[in-house]
Amino acid sequence: MKALRDAFDRVHPFFAKGGLLEKAYPMYEALDTFLFTPGETAHGRTHVRDNIDLKRMMITVVFALIPVTLFGMWNTGYQANSAIQKMTEANVDFDYDWHHTVHTAIGLGHDPANHIDNFVYGAIFFIPIYVVCMFVGGHVELVFSVLRGHEINEGFLVTGLLFPLTLPASIPLWQVAVGIAFGVIVAKEVFGGTGRNFLNVALTSRAFLYFAYAGQISGDKVWTAVDGFSGATALGQMANARDNAVESLGAVQYVWGAEEPITWMQAFIGTIQGCVGETSALLCLVGALILIASGIGSWKIMGGVVAGVTATALLLSGIGSETNPMFAVPFYWHLVIGGLAFGLVFMATDPVSASMTELGKWVYGILIGFMTVLIRVVNPAFPEGIMLAILFGNVFAPLIDWAVVQLNIRRRAARYVTA
């Protein structure tokens, strides 16, 4: 590593101010800080020193995302291989695409009982989405950094992984490129870059795709990576249920509406249809423990979301409805279906777009939980509510913090008056 360090030091004058490649300094600085710890240190009593910087924070979040990413690739392959097996047994014709060609070229088949078949087939779908997202989004950030003369921050390492995990595996790659470019430019760069965006970039990208290209990111035909196979998510099945959204058989809860009912444990583990990284509440919980233990993710925001979901679901189930089956969905089902677990762990806790005051974090989390269930129940045509709920919370986070600060000021003023 010393030889590499020396090589970087030799070319540094070319990228420094006044050098021949001055405009390309953000590229040099990004690669340097990615490979090595920055050599600059703070001096003076006015600086607050911490053992974690932006790079370490972002790497920790990426580390927390690894379990859901690996499982998401496996589950994508498992759902696809299960569908292929069913369609083959039923003599249903369907078209293979280039993913199948690559998969069979390396000598693998479509056996859903084979974990290698599942993982590799899922990876063939996910990795291109991830590469396109990183390539396009990274170059957008590079262009803005060069134009402004700013450093390239590590924040996109997280955004570039979060966004693909919120997409169905069957999404066209060109839409991935358009979506991430829109999110980085509109939700981040126009406000000044990393640390200045008030909206979550990954969710803004996904919201743009949802409203611009709804046919490729919603409906029953996009959740399984097999052309022509139709299957709704658990939320979709609940919203379309004619009688009760959830029925009880003994001690086991089932979602009805599919050929094979989904148990609560299946939804908790994540072996169901959905976006690549959002199906497993169990592995989202693992990620939550990592973020909380490292001090990066706020347990107050997570707890607030859970409290908001629980209270709202209990309230609406108590009200009931004869025409809307979503009113009957228990709170513990809301917590494991859709992208709620993924959103409350990795999206709602975004330190830039979330509330920063301690009381505000609780209010912010409760607001997101309330809005999530309200959107899911009151508007069954839009069964997934966590995306819009978090963006709604992002918009109100500054107002929440302002209100908390003003409340503290009034309390302190009243304390001094009575002293």
Side-chain angles (χ1 to χ4, degrees):
M1 294 297 291
K2 185 177 183 304
L4 185 59
R5 177 69 268 171
D6 292 340
F8 269 85
D9 292 338
R10 283 195 298 270
V11 300
H12 179 269
F14 294 101
F15 297 92
K17 187 174 183 179
L20 182 64
L21 302 174
E22 177 184 355
K23 291 293 185 180
Y25 176 77
M27 300 175 60
Y28 166 84
E29 190 275 339
L31 185 59
D32 189 2
T33 56
F34 181 80
L35 295 173
F36 301 97
T37 301
E40 296 83 5
T41 57
H43 300 282
R45 298 179 180 178
T46 59
H47 291 85
V48 177
R49 292 175 173 82
D50 195 356
N51 61 353
I52 187 168
D53 56 11
L54 180 62
K55 179 170 67 176
R56 291 184 177 89
M57 180 184 295
M58 295 299 104
I59 291 177
T60 302
V61 178
V62 171
F63 179 76
L65 282 165
I66 289 176
V68 296
T69 302
L70 296 178
F71 180 84
M73 288 189 283
W74 176 87
N75 188 55
T76 297
Y78 172 72
Q79 297 297 332
N81 288 333
S82 297
I84 290 173
Q85 185 182 69
K86 293 176 182 178
M87 296 175 76
T88 301
E89 293 175 351
N91 294 320
V92 176
D93 294 330
F94 59 96
D95 296 328
Y96 286 113
D97 58 9
W98 67 268
H99 301 89
H100 167 77
T101 303
V102 174
H103 190 67
T104 54
I106 57 180
L108 297 177
H110 294 287
D111 181 8
N114 188 314
H115 295 306
I116 296 178
D117 282 353
N118 295 334
F119 182 82
V120 173
Y121 197 51
I124 294 173
F125 278 91
F126 176 76
I127 291 177
I129 296 175
Y130 176 70
V131 170
V132 169
C133 179
M134 294 297 293
F135 180 84
V136 175
H139 277 75
V140 171
E141 291 220 350
L142 173 62
V143 169
F144 277 90
S145 297
V146 171
L147 293 177
R148 293 171 174 165
H150 293 174
E151 297 177 353
I152 300 177
N153 300 113
E154 291 81 4
F156 187 71
L157 293 177
V158 175
T159 301
L161 182 55
L162 280 175
F163 179 54
L165 291 174
T166 64
L167 300 175
S170 60
I171 189 167
L173 295 180
W174 68 268
Q175 290 187 13
V176 178
V178 173
I180 193 62
F182 177 90
V184 172
I185 295 173
V186 174
K188 182 177 182 180
E189 297 300 341
V190 296
F191 295 102
T194 301
R196 296 179 176 87
N197 55 287
F198 73 96
L199 292 176
N200 183 281
V201 180
L203 278 181
T204 303
S205 302
R206 191 184 191 280
F208 168 76
L209 288 183
Y210 182 85
F211 292 109
Y213 306 103
Q216 284 75 40
I217 202 171
S218 62
D220 295 346
K221 296 183 178 181
V222 303
W223 307 114
T224 303
V226 178
D227 186 28
F229 184 83
S230 178
T233 62
L235 266 175
Q237 294 176 29
M238 287 181 174
N240 295 327
R242 293 183 178 180
D243 298 318
N244 291 325
V246 180
E247 291 189 12
S248 176
L249 294 180
V252 182
Q253 295 286 333
Y254 287 90
V255 173
W256 293 96
E259 294 180 0
E260 298 178 3
I262 299 173
T263 67
W264 185 91
M265 186 56 65
Q266 282 179 295
F268 177 69
I269 295 174
T271 54
I272 58 177
Q273 293 174 322
C275 296
V276 175
E278 294 183 346
T279 61
S280 179
L282 172 62
L283 294 179
C284 288
L285 182 60
V286 173
L289 295 176
I290 296 174
L291 295 181
I292 293 173
S294 61
I296 295 175
S298 172
W299 65 269
K300 295 179 181 179
I301 293 178
M302 299 182 196
V305 175
V306 173
V309 168
T310 302
T312 309
L314 289 174
L315 174 64
L316 294 177
S317 63
I319 296 174
S321 173
E322 296 181 357
T323 59
N324 188 345
M326 291 299 294
F327 274 79
V329 178
F331 71 90
Y332 48 84
W333 266 103
H334 278 290
L335 293 172
V336 298
I337 55 178
L340 194 147
F342 186 85
L344 77 89
V345 173
F346 299 107
M347 303 286 201
T349 56
D350 179 6
V352 177
S353 57
S355 291
M356 299 182 183
T357 57
E358 296 307 308
L359 176 60
K361 292 177 181 178
W362 282 106
V363 177
Y364 171 79
I366 292 172
L367 175 63
I368 291 175
F370 167 76
M371 289 300 300
T372 300
V373 178
L374 188 66
I375 294 172
R376 286 180 172 184
V377 174
V378 176
N379 184 12
F382 188 79
E384 179 56 89
I386 187 67
M387 175 183 67
L388 292 182
I390 294 177
L391 291 176
F392 185 84
N394 290 163
V395 173
F396 279 88
L399 180 61
I400 293 172
D401 286 336
W402 178 85
V404 171
V405 171
Q406 294 302 311
L407 178 62
N408 290 336
I409 291 175
R410 287 196 292 269
R411 286 177 177 176
R412 183 171 296 181
R415 190 184 309 126
Y416 281 115
V417 168
T418 57

